[in-house]
Amino acid sequence: MNRQSLINTIKQNFMLKRLRAQEENDAFISALRKDPDFDGLYKEYTAKQLEYAKTKFIEEDVALRHACEDLRQQMESYLTNHKMDKSLLYPQYSCKICNDTGVVGGRICSCFLGELNKKISTMTSSQTSFKSFDVCDNSIMNEDDKKACKWLKTWCLTYPNTTKTNINILGGAGTGKTFFLECIANEMIAKNLSVCFKTAFELNELARLYHIGKSYEFGDILKVDILLIDDLGTEPILNNVTKEYLYNLINVRQINHLPTIISTNLSLDNILSRYDERIFSRLANKNLSTNIILTSQDKRLNN
Ligand SMILES: [Zn+2]
């Protein structure tokens, strides 16, 4: 599914959401109108509203507007007097900013963007729920790792006002690289950004499929807000695919200031020898990249 059809699907969902809220409100009002007191107010209000609507565009009848307003307040008071929330007089839209239209002041509402990014993240990630910094266990981290954790947390909080767009999390097996990658994914999803979390193995396979024209998902991954690649170096090197697509991915994302965060067992020297100078120079670019080196012993063995 491409971005435009995703947008169309969400638009439809929003329309349905609005309709449902309006139907629920209609049903609620109908029930209230069984009481003649409320029904009288309601009839008078709708009649005056109609009258007001007719004159509004010719010459506004201010007295009529005040009469409508007064009746509306009387209906609200009716609800309050009957121990009901007065806001129930109106449809209960889930977004109070855009009333579930998805648009506010000619711009896309943040609720719509959030929905879109959630869909993109679900579509492109192999997993969709992630661990969070809240469950970070300081007792199993040494001082270096605590510093690393703090740096990553701050980066997440500060983003997008950060200069570094590439983070390389380096360390041996069980040092918590994947854990930190997940924490970053979690924070970025909370910021309503589109997030793609892939193992290097999966990414390599998508590059291969793209290369032979069997899947275009790789193209979406180029454009997600945040890309996280787990375990770089565990994927097989495929001719004309692995190095070429990885370089392209990192390069294009760097040019567009889109963060790519990598975890790997490899050292920077290993990266240089396994891939090539071009990939290395992008990943090790001092201005745009940071290396986080985790040194705690294998946490899985300590458990
Ligand atoms: Zn909204």
Side-chain angles (χ1 to χ4, degrees):
M1 203 187 264
N2 65 26
R3 203 179 169 90
Q4 192 51 49
S5 48
L6 267 184
I7 290 174
N8 290 340
T9 310
I10 300 169
K11 270 187 187 161
Q12 253 172 19
N13 291 345
F14 267 60
M15 228 162 66
L16 289 173
K17 226 169 23 172
R18 263 179 76 79
L19 260 163
R20 210 176 309 129
Q22 285 159 3
E23 276 169 10
E24 277 171 14
N25 183 247
D26 285 348
F28 179 73
I29 299 284
S30 298
L32 288 180
R33 288 183 63 187
K34 294 207 171 99
D35 178 351
D37 286 349
F38 183 85
D39 191 47
L41 280 174
Y42 185 81
K43 276 185 181 147
E44 205 181 335
Y45 173 72
T46 41
K48 283 236 173 348
Q49 271 283 81
L50 196 67
E51 215 181 310
Y52 174 67
K54 280 184 201 154
T55 62
K56 194 164 78 174
F57 297 108
I58 310 160
E59 193 181 352
E60 194 194 17
D61 186 335
V62 180
L64 201 52
R65 173 155 59 85
H66 287 310
C68 288
E69 181 61 19
D70 182 53
L71 282 161
R72 201 171 55 78
Q73 274 172 15
Q74 284 186 52
M75 288 193 295
E76 284 186 359
S77 302
Y78 174 93
L79 264 75
T80 315
N81 293 340
H82 288 77
K83 308 234 173 314
M84 286 182 275
D85 188 342
K86 63 179 182 189
S87 72
L88 291 173
L89 200 55
Y90 315 101
Q92 301 293 298
Y93 299 116
S94 52
C95 178
K96 306 288 178 224
I97 302 167
C98 70
N99 285 344
D100 297 346
T101 56
V103 183
V104 59
R107 299 192 58 163
I108 299 177
C109 183
S110 61
C111 71
F112 193 94
L113 282 178
E115 206 55 40
L116 179 63
N117 289 336
K118 220 184 320 169
K119 277 235 162 19
I120 294 174
S121 304
T122 323
M123 202 176 69
T124 53
S125 293
S126 36
Q127 74 184 80
T128 49
S129 78
F130 302 102
K131 297 208 174 65
S132 104
F133 280 118
D134 299 339
V135 297
C136 223
D137 185 356
N138 271 319
S139 69
I140 56 170
M141 285 195 284
N142 64 23
E143 288 311 309
D144 286 346
D145 289 8
K146 280 182 202 163
K147 259 187 231 159
C149 178
K150 204 171 154 199
W151 191 93
L152 290 171
K153 247 183 185 169
T154 310
W155 183 86
C156 289
L157 283 174
T158 324
Y159 184 80
N161 302 314
T162 43
T163 47
K164 309 287 184 186
T165 52
N166 282 75
I167 304 174
N168 309 311
I169 304 178
L170 313 162
T175 45
K177 302 184 297 290
T178 306
F179 172 77
F180 284 127
L181 222 52
E182 285 197 25
C183 294
I184 298 170
N186 198 40
E187 294 288 322
M188 294 295 132
I189 288 171
K191 281 187 184 237
N192 267 347
L193 295 164
S194 58
V195 169
C196 174
F197 187 103
K198 288 272 182 223
T199 64
F201 192 92
E202 291 167 329
L203 195 66
N204 199 35
E205 178 58 11
L206 287 176
R208 187 184 71 79
L209 291 173
Y210 189 90
H211 191 64
I212 57 173
K214 289 234 165 117
S215 156
Y216 294 98
E217 202 183 314
F218 193 87
D220 293 331
I221 293 172
L222 273 177
K223 290 177 271 180
V224 289
D225 294 328
I226 311 286
L227 173 63
L228 304 117
I229 308 174
D230 197 17
D231 247 341
L232 186 76
T234 53
E235 76 288 8
I237 300 272
L238 308 173
N239 272 342
N240 303 323
V241 173
T242 308
K243 293 176 187 174
E244 288 72 8
Y245 281 80
L246 183 64
Y247 170 73
N248 191 24
L249 188 69
I250 293 167
N251 188 41
V252 167
R253 294 183 57 80
Q254 229 169 43
I255 290 167
N256 293 311
H257 305 288
L258 295 170
T260 306
I261 298 136
I262 287 168
S263 85
T264 182
N265 271 334
L266 302 173
S267 65
L268 283 178
D269 285 347
N270 291 154
I271 290 177
L272 178 58
S273 55
R274 180 175 160 89
Y275 300 99
D276 58 30
E277 176 62 37
R278 294 187 313 160
I279 292 174
F280 176 80
S281 71
R282 287 290 174 280
L283 289 179
N285 179 327
K286 283 265 184 295
N287 296 323
L288 300 174
S289 301
T290 296
N291 301 313
I292 300 282
I293 301 165
L294 300 176
T295 55
S296 285
Q297 284 178 342
D298 194 326
K299 295 184 183 79
R300 288 177 301 205
L301 294 179
N302 290 341
N303 284 338

